[in-house]
Amino acid sequence: LSGWASLLYRYGQQDSFNIATVSAGRDQAELQTLYGFLVNTLIIPCHFQNDISVAALLKQMQSQLVEVLKHQSIPFDRIVSLM
């Protein structure tokens, strides 16, 4: 993810952007046996500085991803409506 983000930063030349990905949407035990397409869109914010090191970038992306995964059960449309 950090590699993809740094590539987007380099070619897009934007300091802040978001990367969207999906999670399985089966974090509750009763949903694990259901058939069907249960996914939830996750938005990962990316913020860059010109002089960021690779180690700092990896740590930053890891902390962003951990924060996003904490709230993965909140539906994407609910997040959009709150903004």
Side-chain angles (χ1 to χ4, degrees):
L1 181 62
S2 298
W4 178 243
S6 61
L7 188 70
L8 289 174
Y9 167 69
R10 180 175 176 152
Y11 289 108
Q13 298 179 359
Q14 294 183 9
D15 294 338
S16 291
F17 55 90
N18 298 316
I19 295 177
T21 188
V22 294
S23 70
R26 297 180 187 267
D27 53 346
Q28 299 171 355
E30 59 270 7
L31 296 177
Q32 303 224 350
T33 59
L34 289 177
Y35 292 103
F37 191 63
L38 302 173
V39 296
N40 197 8
T41 304
L42 305 176
I43 303 298
I44 303 164
C46 302
H47 306 286
F48 279 82
Q49 301 144 0
N50 287 335
D51 57 350
I52 192 167
S53 68
V54 173
L57 174 63
L58 290 172
K59 190 162 185 76
Q60 175 185 341
M61 292 302 295
Q62 179 186 16
S63 65
Q64 289 284 20
L65 189 55
V66 166
E67 280 300 311
V68 167
L69 290 175
K70 283 182 188 176
H71 306 290
Q72 69 179 333
S73 62
I74 301 172
F76 179 69
D77 57 342
R78 183 168 174 217
I79 294 172
V80 170
S81 68
L82 292 173
M83 296 181 137

